[in-house]
């Protein structure tokens, strides 16, 4: 482990390690360290190298732009979450009393819940976008007649039966989706509810 | 002189298409729709020939949104060359029919033919009678032409007499015509023949006061068209809706199986839905139409571009558009289409083109350039703005920057300069405290931007020093996403510690235009207070600070 950490972000070639410890069987040791997540083995060119986990992260940051971008986004999220926790703390401090340990516990739990909720909401809305589209397409296919046109209100009603979906949320999603994918969906004016395009209520949809 | 070597402005300027505008039909989807209808008529004609005397009838529906080109297609069929020897087409705009009485409906159907259709029919009828008089020595037929001994002595031919009747110089003998045709045609058919032969069909044709009379008369007219002209009769009803009387008449016409006739019903999905709710039997009949013409995708960019090119190409006499002119125009159309949802509609886009061509002519421009489109939109659609942009970017500037973004190297440098300008502006206006920013983030910013070619690029921009620099980097990775290639280039001249501290900025294509537009003004010292405020919002929106 000490020898691998000496390699830093450049890592240590596995064959070199074998040469250095030629009288010892190192494969089992390396295997268990990899299993524990202490070290990482990866290919560099044609050779296998070993890194300490932290060094491997640094190595990737210098060589893999995709990883670097992901890493920076995660860091951003981390900072964002920490800021949220801090804000929660300060609001708890100003608004609440800390007279009893029960209160403190309640306040902590409250913060935790609100954090979970806001993080959860982000996740749901991301998930919903894809799920909404899939469900929308499914209902559109199911309800379309020979002309292909379906009332948006029919799709909304069908989807409302399965999901707790508010009318305005449904149309906001439809507007966003049809505006983004105007080569996939086609809208037509009329109907009793829908979205407004060019000042006209569009209450029919079909797939192109 | 109009641009692109056009002798006239080829684009129509009307809220709905007129007769002359519809001589052309562009767009692959519209052409396919036309082919489907022509094929349906050919099929009907073939069946009529193979099974002479049978009552062949076809029903065709065209269901699509307003402004998708349904009326254009229907009007085009009335004069298209492909149908000249196959069908005679009547176009009835039901929006112009009010009230929708039985009499009015029938009048609309007969008035929907071209006048020359009745001239042709008149000629064919009189010619048929002339041949009967000549070839069969039919005395009754000769009497129709009032052919006397004097005519014979003066060597006036029957053909000459027929010509004089056609020129309305002499009249024919109506009683004789009745006698000659009796036994060959029904009373209604003879009545129609009388009206047509005397050239008063459109002004004084047989009335139809009931649905039964409409059916009888239309059947008779269709039979005459087939007998004398060997043509299928096509009745087009535009703007068909759920008006009760119209629905009852249409249901009757469909049930009657009008011989050698095709009914083409044009309606919107909304009207179709209303018919479904109010008249299920008619809805059921329409659902069982022989052809359902699908104009799906009639407002897509490809279709609109194709239609616009068709108008231009068909009106260029000596010299056609060059490839570069064509590509330039298409790229401008694409930007209008992408950035303005109002123009995702063929009618609106044609209107823009009409005005742009006029402005080009006035300014003696050989092409439609950015300034002309700017002027057109500002004049014709004064309320329209680029919605996604924070800065007040004129359409012309948007187009220029979008065009320039195709030059990867140039845009990379300009992004670098723009980020530096925005940072300086934010710093000068107290939005950023330069030393603490540099301490926290280092002197470089990682900028990821989307260009107009669907590519995503990452550059590292130095915000320190006299000039902004974007580091040159080797191509690093290709990411395939949604079928688009996102090529990421990245500089790697610095140590990992510094890179980790870099601030990251993400710019979509609208913000890219905002940024470069701001930068142009900034370096040209044309920034006003209003611009600064917007620029600071822009900096915040891209998370520069």
């Amino acid at each position: 482990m000490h020898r691998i950490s000496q390699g830093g972000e450049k890592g240590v070639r596995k064959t070199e390690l074998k040469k250095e410890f030629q009288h010892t069987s190192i494969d089992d040791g390396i295997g268990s360290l990899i299993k524990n997540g202490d070290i990482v083995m990866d290919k560099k060119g044609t050779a296998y190298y070993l890194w300490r986990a932290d060094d491997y992260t640094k190595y990737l940051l210098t060589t893999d732009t995709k990883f670097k971008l992901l890493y920076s986004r995660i860091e951003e999220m981390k900072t964002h979450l920490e800021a949220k926790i801090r804000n929660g703390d300060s609001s708890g401090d100003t608004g609440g009393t800390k007279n009893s340990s029960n209160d403190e516990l309640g306040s902590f739990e409250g913060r935790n819940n609100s954090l979970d909720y806001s993080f959860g909401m982000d996740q749901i809305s991301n998930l919903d976008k894809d799920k909404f589209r899939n469900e929308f397409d499914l209902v559109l296919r199911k309800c379309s007649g020979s002309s292909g046109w379906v009332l948006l209100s029919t799709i909304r009603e069908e989807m409302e039966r399965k999901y707790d979906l508010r009318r305005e949320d449904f149309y906001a999603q439809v507007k966003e989706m049809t505006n983004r994918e105007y080569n996939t969906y086609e809208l037509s004016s009329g109907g009793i509810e829908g979205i407004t395009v060019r000042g006209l209520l569009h209450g029919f949809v079909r797939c192109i | 002189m109009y641009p692109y070597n056009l002798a006239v402005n080829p684009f129509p300027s009307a809220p709905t298409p007129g007769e002359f505008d519809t001589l052309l039909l562009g767009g692959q989807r519209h052409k396919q729709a036309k082919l489907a209808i022509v094929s349906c008529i050919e099929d009907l004609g073939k069946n009529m020939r193979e099974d002479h005397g049978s009552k062949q009838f076809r029903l065709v529906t065209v269901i699509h949104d307003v402004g998708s080109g349904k009326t254009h297609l229907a009007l085009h069929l009335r004069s298209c060359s492909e149908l000249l020897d196959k069908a005679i087409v009547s176009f009835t705009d039901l929006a112009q029919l009010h009230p929708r009485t039985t009499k009015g409906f029938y009048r609309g159907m007969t008035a929907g033919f071209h006048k020359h259709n009745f001239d042709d029919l008149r000629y064919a009828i009189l010619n048929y009678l002339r041949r009967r008089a000549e070839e069969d020595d039919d005395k009754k037929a000769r009497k129709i032409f009032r052919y006397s001994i004097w005519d014979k002595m003066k060597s006036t031919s029957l053909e000459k007499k027929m010509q004089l009747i056609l020129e309305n110089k002499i009249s024919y003998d109506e009683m004789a015509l009745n006698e000659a045709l009796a036994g060959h045609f029904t009373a209604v058919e003879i009545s129609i023949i009388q009206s047509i032969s005397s050239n008063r069909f459109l002004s004084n044709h047989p009335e139809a006061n009931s649905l039964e009379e409409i059916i009888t008369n239309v059947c008779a007219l269709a039979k005459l068209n087939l007998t004398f002209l060997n043509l299928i009769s096509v009745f087009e009803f535009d703007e068909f809706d759920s008006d009760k009387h119209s629905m009852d008449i249409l249901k009757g016409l469909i049930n009657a199986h009008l011989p050698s006739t095709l009914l083409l019903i044009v309606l919107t999905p909304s009207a179709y839905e209303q018919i479904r709710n109010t008249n299920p039997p008619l809805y059921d009949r329409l659902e069982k139409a022989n052809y359902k013409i699908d104009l799906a995708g009639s407002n897509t960019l490809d279709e609109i571009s194709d239609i616009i090119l068709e108008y231009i190409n068909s009106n260029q006499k000596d010299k056609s558009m060059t490839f570069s002119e064509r590509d330039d125009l298409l790229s401008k159309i694409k930007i209008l289409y992408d950035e303005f949802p109002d123009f995702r509609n063929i009618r609106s886009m044609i209107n823009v083109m009409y005005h742009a061509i006029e402005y080009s002519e006035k300014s003696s421009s050989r092409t439609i350039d950015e300034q002309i489109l700017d002027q057109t939109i500002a004049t014709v659609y004064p309320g329209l703005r680029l919605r996604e942009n924070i800065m007040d970017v004129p359409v012309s500037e948007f187009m220029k920057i979008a065009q320039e973004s195709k030059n990867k190297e140039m845009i990379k440098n300009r992004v670098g300069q723009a980020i530096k300008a925005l940072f300086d502006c934010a710093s000068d206006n107290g939005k950023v405290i330069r030393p603490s920013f540099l301490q926290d983030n280092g002197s470089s910013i990682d900028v990821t931007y989307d260009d107009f070619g669907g590519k995503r690029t990452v550059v590292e921009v130095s915000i320190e020093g006299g000039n902004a620099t974007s580091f040159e980097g080797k191509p690093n990775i290709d990411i395939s996403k949604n079928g688009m290639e996102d090529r990421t280039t990245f500089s790697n001249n610095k140590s990992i510690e510094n890179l980790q501290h870099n601030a990251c900025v993400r710019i979509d294509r609208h913000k890219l235009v905002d940024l470069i537009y701001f930068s142009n003004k900034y370096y040209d010292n044309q920034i006003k207070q209003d611009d600064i405020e917007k620029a600071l919002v822009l900096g915040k929106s891209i998370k520069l600070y």
Side-chain angles (χ1 to χ4, degrees):
Chain A
M1 183 68 195
H2 175 68
R3 175 65 189 93
I4 291 169
S5 65
Q6 278 180 333
E9 68 182 78
K10 286 184 180 171
V12 180
R13 207 173 177 158
K14 196 181 169 189
T15 48
E16 278 179 21
L17 215 58
K18 277 192 167 178
K19 273 183 201 164
E20 282 182 40
F21 299 92
Q22 50 185 299
H23 302 298
T24 324
S25 166
I26 59 166
D27 285 342
D28 289 346
I30 287 172
S32 74
L33 284 171
I34 290 173
K35 205 174 172 185
N36 291 339
D38 296 329
I39 63 165
V40 179
M41 184 164 72
D42 198 0
K43 253 188 167 178
K44 209 158 97 172
T46 52
Y48 280 99
Y49 276 72
L50 296 159
W51 289 268
R52 220 167 50 115
D54 289 351
D55 290 330
Y56 184 65
T57 310
K58 283 181 188 173
Y59 163 73
L60 286 180
L61 280 168
T62 58
T63 55
D64 189 337
T65 314
K66 193 175 171 183
F67 176 80
K68 182 181 175 287
L69 287 172
L70 276 169
Y71 185 83
S72 67
R73 289 303 299 269
I74 293 165
E75 284 288 305
E76 215 174 274
M77 267 172 71
K78 195 176 132 196
T79 319
H80 180 67
L81 287 173
E82 280 169 358
K84 275 206 158 186
I85 293 167
R86 273 200 301 277
N87 289 342
D89 247 337
S90 59
S91 63
D93 288 345
T94 49
T97 52
K98 289 187 182 178
N99 292 339
S100 70
S101 59
N102 278 348
D103 281 348
E104 271 185 46
L105 185 64
S107 148
F108 178 71
E109 279 177 356
R111 276 201 314 271
N112 253 8
N113 285 344
S114 85
L115 187 65
D116 282 352
Y117 176 70
S118 64
F119 188 62
M121 278 301 279
D122 283 346
Q123 274 190 322
I124 287 166
S125 67
N126 284 337
L127 200 101
D128 267 0
K129 229 175 198 176
D130 292 335
K131 202 169 179 185
F132 181 89
R133 195 199 157 150
N134 289 339
E135 198 62 33
F136 186 91
D137 286 350
L138 211 67
V139 180
L140 181 56
R141 260 201 303 276
K142 193 179 114 187
C143 298
S144 65
S146 59
S147 71
W149 292 103
V150 179
L151 271 169
L152 279 169
S153 59
T154 308
I155 301 179
R156 180 183 60 75
E157 282 161 14
E158 279 284 318
M159 285 176 73
E160 271 179 4
R161 268 183 219 141
K162 283 170 96 174
Y163 301 97
D164 183 20
L165 200 61
R166 286 190 310 159
R167 183 184 293 221
E168 51 268 44
D169 291 340
F170 173 83
Y171 285 114
Q173 291 257 34
V174 170
K175 189 165 194 170
E176 201 263 325
M177 188 174 79
T178 51
N179 197 35
R180 190 182 62 237
E181 296 185 44
Y182 49 71
N183 278 329
T184 308
Y185 300 102
E186 213 165 12
L187 293 167
S188 179
S189 54
I192 41 164
E193 59 177 65
I195 56 176
T196 306
V197 183
R198 298 189 303 277
L200 277 174
L201 181 75
H202 284 60
F204 292 86
V205 69
R206 64 168 287 173
C207 259
I208 295 177
Chain B
M1 180 72 180
Y2 285 98
Y4 308 112
N5 298 306
L6 290 163
V8 290
N9 188 339
F11 295 100
S13 176
T16 53
E19 186 85 43
F20 182 74
D21 310 329
T22 57
L23 294 174
L24 272 181
L25 185 81
Q28 287 310 309
R29 287 165 179 89
H30 287 84
K31 285 177 182 169
Q32 278 164 9
K34 174 185 164 182
L35 275 180
I37 297 170
V38 171
S39 138
C40 181
I41 291 169
E42 281 172 346
D43 172 58
L44 181 55
K46 185 169 158 263
N47 281 316
M48 292 296 299
R49 282 191 297 278
E50 284 172 3
D51 186 9
H52 193 71
S54 69
K55 286 180 85 177
Q56 293 283 332
F57 166 74
R58 295 286 185 275
L59 178 64
V60 176
T61 56
V62 184
I63 304 168
H64 216 283
D65 192 18
V66 290
S68 59
K70 305 182 297 297
T71 303
H72 189 111
L73 174 67
L75 278 169
H76 175 78
L77 289 170
R78 210 155 67 129
S79 46
C80 76
S81 57
E82 290 89 335
L83 287 183
L84 282 180
D85 60 345
K86 295 180 183 72
I88 173 170
V89 183
S90 155
F91 173 87
T92 310
D93 177 11
L94 293 180
Q96 294 183 45
L97 214 63
H98 189 78
R100 305 256 183 99
T101 57
T102 308
K103 203 184 275 187
F105 214 90
Y106 175 65
R107 201 180 287 266
M109 286 173 78
T110 49
F113 288 109
H114 275 300
K115 190 191 170 292
H116 71 78
N117 294 144
F118 291 109
D119 292 341
D120 293 345
L121 193 54
R122 187 183 182 210
Y123 175 84
I125 291 167
L126 290 173
N127 200 39
Y128 157 79
L129 293 168
R130 179 188 65 83
R131 279 208 315 271
R132 260 179 65 176
E134 276 176 356
E135 290 162 17
D136 307 335
D137 203 21
D138 186 334
K139 281 183 184 166
K140 282 177 187 168
R142 291 168 82 91
K143 208 175 159 193
I144 295 169
F145 295 94
R146 301 184 199 279
Y147 196 76
S148 64
I149 187 102
W150 291 107
D151 291 317
K152 208 169 186 178
M153 283 170 70
K154 282 192 287 181
S155 302
T156 306
S157 66
L158 266 170
E159 192 166 355
K160 175 69 183 167
K161 295 284 279 187
M162 184 186 89
Q163 198 56 42
L164 290 170
I165 293 169
L166 286 171
E167 288 168 9
N168 299 318
K169 288 183 178 161
I170 59 168
S171 62
Y172 67 90
D173 188 331
E174 292 185 16
M175 288 289 285
L177 189 133
N178 274 345
E179 283 173 25
L181 296 182
H184 298 276
F185 294 92
T186 65
V188 175
E189 287 161 3
I190 292 171
S191 169
I192 292 176
I193 288 172
Q194 287 280 17
S195 303
I196 291 169
S197 304
S198 58
N199 201 22
R200 55 185 159 84
F201 183 78
L202 288 173
S203 58
N204 190 24
H205 55 75
E207 291 287 339
N209 294 311
S210 65
L211 177 58
E212 196 186 358
E213 281 177 1
I214 291 186
I215 292 169
T216 312
N217 288 357
V218 172
C219 282
L221 191 56
K223 188 184 162 191
L224 297 180
N225 284 334
L226 187 72
T227 308
F228 292 109
L229 297 172
N230 197 25
L231 295 176
I232 302 292
S233 300
V234 176
F235 290 95
E236 299 176 335
F237 294 103
D238 192 18
E239 306 271 9
F240 198 89
D241 56 23
S242 56
D243 170 73
K244 191 183 174 307
H245 203 62
S246 308
M247 289 195 294
D248 289 342
I249 290 175
L250 181 59
K251 196 163 72 180
L253 291 175
I254 295 170
N255 279 6
H257 277 247
L258 304 168
S260 62
T261 300
L262 182 142
L263 288 184
L264 187 135
I265 316 299
V266 179
L267 67 173
T268 61
S270 173
Y272 197 53
E273 178 67 17
Q274 281 164 7
I275 292 171
R276 187 170 81 99
N277 294 331
T278 52
N279 198 330
L282 176 63
Y283 177 79
D284 181 59
R285 283 160 179 79
L286 292 175
E287 273 288 281
K288 289 171 186 160
N290 303 82
Y291 277 77
K292 286 179 199 305
I293 302 303
D294 197 0
L295 286 174
S298 55
N299 283 325
T300 54
L301 177 63
D302 288 350
E303 189 74 356
I304 288 176
S305 304
D306 203 3
I307 291 170
I308 284 170
L309 288 180
E310 181 90 28
Y311 270 111
I312 293 179
N313 291 334
S314 305
N315 281 276
Q316 281 174 320
K317 289 206 162 72
D318 307 324
K319 204 177 158 192
S320 58
M321 274 175 119
T322 62
F323 284 116
S324 69
E325 283 175 342
R326 182 180 167 278
D327 290 348
D328 178 65
L329 181 64
L330 289 180
S331 70
K332 289 186 173 74
I333 291 170
K334 184 176 184 327
I335 289 174
L336 288 180
Y337 188 90
D338 284 342
E339 304 308 324
F340 297 101
D342 296 70
F343 297 145
R344 288 178 200 163
N345 174 289
I346 183 60
R347 202 181 283 168
S348 311
M349 195 66 97
I350 282 180
N351 194 36
V352 171
M353 286 297 126
Y354 169 82
H355 289 288
I357 292 272
E358 287 298 320
Y359 285 125
S360 299
E361 196 261 342
K362 277 178 199 151
S363 57
S364 306
S365 173
R366 285 181 50 78
T367 59
I368 296 175
D369 61 30
E370 290 88 358
Q371 273 70 31
I372 283 163
L373 278 176
D374 230 2
Q375 192 184 1
T376 304
I377 291 169
T379 317
V380 186
Y381 298 91
L384 272 192
R385 296 279 180 277
L386 287 160
R387 295 178 199 185
E388 308 273 339
N389 290 77
I390 292 170
M391 307 294 294
D392 277 337
V393 187
V395 178
S396 54
E397 286 298 311
F398 192 100
M399 286 178 170
K400 264 189 208 163
I401 295 167
Q403 189 66 24
E404 284 164 8
S405 90
K406 286 176 185 166
N407 183 333
K408 279 191 198 169
E409 288 311 307
M410 189 168 95
I411 205 74
K412 204 192 282 183
N413 287 331
R414 294 188 69 183
V415 166
Q417 286 170 352
I419 287 285
K420 167 91 168 52
L422 189 57
F423 183 79
D424 288 346
C425 177
S427 170
D428 293 345
N429 287 278
K431 280 279 170 190
V432 174
I433 298 154
R434 188 181 283 268
S436 66
F437 182 91
L438 295 173
Q439 198 182 342
D440 291 347
N441 302 286
S443 61
S444 298
I445 296 173
D446 292 346
V447 180
T448 310
Y449 65 88
D450 297 335
D451 61 23
F452 281 78
K455 302 249 169 67
R456 184 170 295 169
T457 307
V458 183
V459 287
E460 189 184 357
V461 176
S462 168
I463 51 167
E464 272 290 80
N467 294 314
T469 50
S470 63
F471 294 104
E472 204 59 43
K474 55 180 181 181
N476 202 329
I477 54 168
D478 289 346
I479 309 164
S480 284
K481 188 186 165 196
N482 296 334
M484 306 266 249
E485 180 201 13
D486 292 344
R487 181 175 291 277
T488 306
T489 56
F490 182 68
S491 73
N492 190 20
N493 300 341
K494 306 176 75 188
S495 69
I496 183 67
E497 288 76 15
N498 280 340
L499 279 174
Q500 275 176 308
H501 283 106
N502 282 2
C504 292
V505 164
R506 176 84 182 81
I507 300 168
D508 64 23
R509 59 194 174 96
H510 295 103
K511 301 257 167 39
L512 180 77
V513 173
D514 277 332
L515 196 64
I516 289 172
Y517 175 69
F518 160 77
S519 158
N520 291 345
K521 286 186 102 176
Y522 187 82
Y523 289 118
D524 290 345
N525 289 324
Q526 288 177 354
I527 288 283
K528 294 177 185 148
Q529 188 54 37
D530 188 37
D531 294 320
I532 291 175
E533 281 163 22
K534 285 182 176 139
L536 296 177
V537 174
L538 174 65
K540 182 92 181 152
S541 75
I542 61 172
K543 294 181 180 162
L544 183 62
Y545 41 83

